[in-house]
Amino acid sequence: MRTIGVFDSGVGGISVLKEILKEFPNDNIIYFGDSLHAPYGDRSIEEIRRLCLKVSDFLVFDKEVDALVIACNTATGAAINIMQERYNIPVVGVVDNGVNEAINSTSNNLIGIIATPATVKMNIYPNTIFKLAPQNSVFQVECPLFVAMIENGWVDSIESDNLIKSYISKFSENIDTLILGCTHYPLITKYISRYFSGKIVNPAKETSKSLKKIIGDGKENLKYNPSRVFFVSGELQKFKKVAEEFLEQPIEDIRKIIL
């Protein structure tokens, strides 16, 4: 039976997993949340690559997944090319899929991006956008505090509301499309939409559709009972609590592991 591996620096990849489960209800899923090392976005590119390869080697060589989804923008930018060369299975990231949706969504060619410091530093979104649609103007804003707050359980408070407002207010009002350039951010879309009225792009949805085009829908697995296994490198119960809230279903099989 086919197994799809999904990994992120922590709980943010749940936004991608949620879409994967919709598209692939009959496949085994293994999710790895490297919350011990979160956020990746505050680390050097070399360190991000090292962490990514540890996790992906575990999923590919130890767990023998049949496809790998990098459910992290920072990891996608830092390591997807290396992974695609390293493994003989499909490896899909979130950046290209988010870019394609943004290009198709904007009506005035003004695209905003909110992301981690590392993702902004790598310029992976602007570079990809300009390569595909050079007529666009791209504006990036670093949001260094979002990931830690989401990992610890986002609370809708005056402080968190002011934080979102301070980040979004850095964009011109003319920007009509906003890419959530970190997979943690879709988990707080409803709060972000208080201050951004245009099109908000969640790359997770397009990523799951892209994977489906590559590996098929897995309907041949209908007769099997698929498994859902979660590996977490950090605090187990904290991850479980936040992940279940955003996944909107219980997590039964969750295991602590440090690679």
Side-chain angles (χ1 to χ4, degrees):
M1 185 174 173
R2 192 171 64 182
T3 301
I4 299 171
V6 182
F7 87 88
D8 179 51
S9 61
V11 76
I14 293 296
S15 66
V16 179
L17 177 63
K18 198 169 183 177
E19 301 301 325
I20 295 289
L21 290 172
K22 292 176 186 176
E23 297 287 353
F24 303 96
N26 306 310
D27 288 83
N28 292 330
I29 307 288
I30 298 177
Y31 183 94
F32 195 111
D34 192 18
S35 51
L36 180 66
H37 300 107
Y40 279 9
D42 292 343
R43 299 178 181 274
S44 69
I45 306 302
E46 292 73 21
E47 188 174 10
I48 295 165
R49 285 177 181 151
R50 180 180 60 79
L51 292 169
C52 287
L53 290 177
K54 269 192 176 184
V55 174
S56 57
D57 279 356
F58 168 75
L59 291 171
V60 175
F61 298 135
D62 291 10
K63 295 304 172 183
E64 298 182 336
V65 299
D66 300 290
L68 184 61
V69 179
I70 311 172
C72 173
N73 288 270
T74 301
T76 298
I80 189 169
N81 292 334
I82 297 171
M83 290 183 194
Q84 288 174 336
E85 293 177 0
R86 189 179 181 90
Y87 309 123
N88 293 318
I89 62 170
V91 179
V92 176
V94 289
V95 174
D96 286 356
N97 297 293
V99 165
N100 287 328
E101 185 182 355
I103 290 171
N104 292 330
S105 297
T106 183
S107 59
N108 64 4
N109 298 326
L110 298 177
I111 299 173
I113 300 157
I114 52 174
T116 65
T119 297
V120 170
K121 184 178 180 181
M122 286 187 284
N123 275 321
I124 51 178
Y125 272 101
N127 290 342
T128 307
I129 290 170
F130 295 147
K131 183 169 63 177
L132 297 174
Q135 74 276 13
N136 285 278
S137 295
V138 181
F139 306 87
Q140 298 187 99
V141 170
E142 295 181 9
C143 304
L145 298 179
F146 275 173
V147 171
M149 292 177 70
I150 292 168
E151 287 284 332
N152 286 294
W154 187 272
V155 176
D156 186 16
S157 64
I158 294 174
E159 290 76 13
S160 61
D161 190 68
N162 285 337
L163 181 65
I164 292 172
K165 184 178 180 180
S166 70
Y167 289 147
I168 301 301
S169 66
K170 294 180 181 180
F171 291 112
S172 162
E173 293 182 359
N174 294 326
I175 289 173
D176 72 343
T177 302
L178 178 68
I179 299 176
L180 303 181
C182 171
T183 53
H184 283 72
Y185 301 171
L187 305 178
I188 56 170
T189 299
K190 66 179 180 181
Y191 307 118
I192 293 171
S193 63
R194 292 172 179 170
Y195 297 104
F196 188 82
S197 58
K199 168 72 174 181
I200 296 178
V201 173
N202 174 8
K205 294 181 180 179
E206 300 306 311
T207 300
S208 60
K209 292 177 184 176
S210 175
L211 182 63
K212 191 173 183 178
K213 291 178 182 177
I214 297 170
I215 67 172
D217 57 17
K219 286 183 178 178
E220 66 274 12
N221 297 325
L222 278 170
K223 61 183 178 180
Y224 300 105
N225 185 26
S227 62
R228 311 280 186 254
V229 182
F230 292 76
F231 289 95
V232 181
S233 61
E235 189 177 328
L236 214 61
Q237 291 307 312
K238 180 189 290 185
F239 177 93
K240 187 174 187 292
K241 181 178 181 296
V242 177
E244 285 182 336
E245 177 184 347
F246 291 118
L247 197 57
E248 298 179 306
Q249 60 180 267
I251 292 174
E252 305 292 346
D253 191 343
I254 183 168
R255 311 172 191 181
K256 179 70 175 283
I257 185 171
I258 299 176
L259 301 177

